[in-house]
Amino acid sequence: MFIDVVPHGRSASAVLLRESFREGRKVHKRTIANLSQMPPELIDGLRALLAGGTVVGGPDQALEIRRSLPHGHVAAVLRMMRKLEIPRLLGRTVSRERDLALALIASRVISPGSKLSTLRGLNLETATSSLGQVLGLGAIEEREIYAALDWLGAQQGRIERQFAKRHLRESTLVLYDVSSSYLEGRCCELARHGYGRDHRPDRLQIVYGLLCDREGRPIAVEVFEGNTADPGTIAAQVEKLKRRFHLNHVVLVGDRGMITTARIREAIKPAGLDWISCLRAVQIQDLAEGPLQMSLFDERDIAAITSPDYPGERLIACRNAALAGERRRKREALLTATERELTRIVAATTRKRAPLRGEAEIGLAVGAVKDGQAFRSHHHHGSLQLPAQRSRYRPRGGARWDLRHPD
């Protein structure tokens, strides 16, 4: 870089900070900044620094970098948020709460952390990026962060309706699943002991359900009490799709533990919705004794069947060859291990010193082998009698069930 003085006839010359670059054999100049309004002594000092020398007049006139805040990731995230119209979704009117909400969302993307660490990263004195400065937040108090979250919570219904208007339409797939998070403390009114995915049964938790479009884009989220079972959240989602989003016909997608036969009968069918779900192992075993014959998969891995047990529904059975091979391998390994252990018991009954005698002792030894192999079977997700996997899909005008059979 260098300082270039460009004369303007009778007007004052322009003082420009420039850099040179080469294109092929030609050298060009690129202007970085206009320094014309700077005091002459600062321009001279900058010229001396760029030349690698010292500043005339003493070190107190030299340029000194006191602090530098990372900015590139902030610019990228804010640009994408504006491209997605996130500020407009949060609120059409510019307000302190909206700017703080934008900062909280951007911070969650840039550097997730607690409320306190986010506050420190936004305040000018302790900033970890240029985010607070770019959004013009100034000094932020802790209470403002919580007030912004309360404001954002009040906007949730309107924001979710806007997302649904963007991404959902009639006769489309809607994906739904639930999860849970455990909590520290006892102040959350929804916190309960329940089935925890975090493997912390000693902690209270909340359950939350996420509704997405067919591409996996989040549309709506809802928090439930921590002891709410998965099927117990379905009715709220049906109500949301019908009443709030004004959708008359969509296909709700969920797993077998959520979209149960009872929920289909009580909530989904009366609302006129279709569904994708799964059959349980017992139901597939019943079908295997009737219309579901393994000869259907001699040439193809997928077949359509019907059953009087599921009137008005179309059943799709799919054989997963890769899963069948893996389960066959595990089954053979378990059988080999069991045979090896039983052979040792047989040898123990015929040894000369302290042979294994009596039905009780032999039965205990065989039972220990059986229990040990059953534990390994469960631990490795295999068994000597493998149940079938399955899923269900019901398109408009009829139902479709997808069954996956391992063998």
Side-chain angles (χ1 to χ4, degrees):
M1 288 188 294
F2 61 93
I3 293 178
D4 196 3
V5 178
V6 181
H8 280 178
R10 297 182 181 182
S11 302
S13 300
V15 182
L16 306 176
L17 178 63
R18 287 182 163 178
E19 66 176 358
S20 59
F21 63 97
R22 182 181 297 274
E23 287 185 355
R25 295 184 178 182
K26 295 184 179 181
V27 178
H28 302 275
K29 297 178 181 179
R30 180 189 294 116
T31 300
I32 299 175
N34 190 334
L35 309 179
S36 302
Q37 302 301 319
M38 291 181 62
E41 58 271 17
L42 288 182
I43 295 176
D44 292 339
L46 182 59
R47 181 182 286 110
L49 289 175
L50 292 175
T54 58
V55 179
V56 179
D60 58 328
Q61 297 185 11
L63 296 178
E64 179 184 357
I65 298 177
R66 296 184 177 180
R67 191 179 185 192
S68 176
L69 294 175
H71 175 68
H73 55 341
V74 172
V77 170
L78 291 180
R79 181 177 179 84
M80 181 55 67
M81 292 175 69
R82 294 188 179 102
K83 183 178 180 180
L84 296 174
E85 299 183 350
I86 300 298
R88 184 180 178 185
L89 281 170
L90 296 182
R92 294 179 179 272
T93 304
V94 178
S95 64
R96 174 74 169 175
E97 292 81 6
R98 194 190 80 163
D99 290 342
L100 285 171
L102 283 172
L104 291 174
I105 296 172
S107 296
R108 178 63 60 177
V109 177
I110 293 171
S111 180
S114 65
K115 308 291 189 302
L116 183 58
S117 65
T118 301
L119 174 65
R120 291 171 178 168
L122 292 174
N123 269 322
L124 185 60
E125 294 81 4
T126 56
T128 56
S129 72
S130 63
L131 180 59
Q133 185 175 353
V134 171
L135 293 177
L137 299 178
I140 309 172
E141 298 182 10
E142 185 175 345
R143 61 176 179 80
E144 290 186 285
I145 295 293
Y146 292 98
L149 291 174
D150 291 338
W151 176 87
L152 187 59
Q155 312 302 315
Q156 180 177 347
R158 179 183 55 79
I159 294 172
E160 290 178 349
R161 287 193 297 271
Q162 292 297 317
F163 277 133
K165 187 177 180 180
R166 279 189 185 186
H167 303 300
L168 297 183
R169 61 185 186 277
E170 296 290 350
S171 301
T172 189
L173 295 178
V174 179
L175 313 181
Y176 178 67
D177 201 0
V178 298
S179 189
S180 60
S181 294
Y182 75 88
L183 308 173
E184 300 290 347
R186 297 182 175 274
C187 296
C188 178
E189 59 184 13
L190 296 177
R192 301 286 190 278
H193 285 289
Y195 172 69
R197 283 85 171 170
D198 300 316
H199 306 291
R200 291 299 303 267
D202 59 321
R203 292 287 187 268
L204 296 172
Q205 67 172 23
I206 58 171
V207 171
Y208 49 90
L210 181 64
L211 205 63
C212 300
D213 70 353
R214 65 184 304 156
E215 302 298 331
R217 289 180 288 241
I219 302 297
V221 65
E222 187 168 355
V223 182
F224 304 91
E225 293 182 347
N227 58 357
T228 305
D230 293 3
T233 66
I234 288 293
Q237 309 313 311
V238 173
E239 177 73 14
K240 190 179 301 179
L241 292 168
K242 296 287 290 187
R243 308 301 178 198
R244 287 177 51 192
F245 300 160
H246 306 291
L247 295 169
N248 294 318
H249 180 265
V250 294
V251 182
L252 188 61
V253 183
D255 60 37
R256 79 190 73 176
M258 187 183 313
I259 302 183
T260 61
T261 302
R263 301 305 167 187
I264 293 171
R265 182 180 62 254
E266 297 169 2
I268 297 177
K269 274 189 175 181
L273 304 184
D274 291 334
W275 68 89
I276 295 177
S277 187
C278 307
L279 285 175
R280 296 184 180 275
V282 175
Q283 295 170 308
I284 294 184
Q285 289 173 2
D286 293 340
L287 288 172
E289 298 174 358
L292 182 58
Q293 302 297 323
M294 293 309 299
S295 60
L296 295 172
F297 306 109
D298 289 344
E299 297 182 2
R300 299 186 63 179
D301 289 335
I302 192 168
I305 62 175
T306 58
S307 172
D309 295 332
Y310 306 98
E313 299 179 359
R314 190 160 55 112
L315 303 156
I316 303 299
C318 178
R319 181 180 184 273
N320 190 328
L323 181 61
E326 177 63 17
R327 290 190 169 180
R328 188 182 301 111
R329 182 192 65 80
K330 290 182 178 179
R331 180 172 61 246
E332 292 174 353
L334 288 170
L335 288 173
T336 301
T338 302
E339 184 177 0
R340 183 171 57 250
E341 295 296 330
L342 293 177
T343 301
R344 291 178 182 175
I345 295 176
V346 173
T349 61
T350 59
R351 65 193 175 197
K352 294 183 178 180
R353 292 189 59 186
L356 192 63
R357 299 292 188 187
E359 293 183 1
E361 292 186 7
I362 295 175
L364 288 174
V366 172
V369 172
K370 179 181 177 182
D371 293 341
Q373 294 304 329
F375 172 78
R376 295 188 189 95
S377 170
H378 174 74
H379 181 72
H380 293 290
H381 306 286
S383 65
L384 299 182
Q385 294 180 350
L386 298 174
Q389 295 185 344
R390 64 281 178 202
S391 64
R392 173 176 59 196
Y393 169 61
R394 181 181 186 272
R396 187 180 182 89
R400 168 179 169 176
W401 299 62
D402 175 26
L403 306 106
R404 296 176 184 259
H405 198 283
D407 258 337

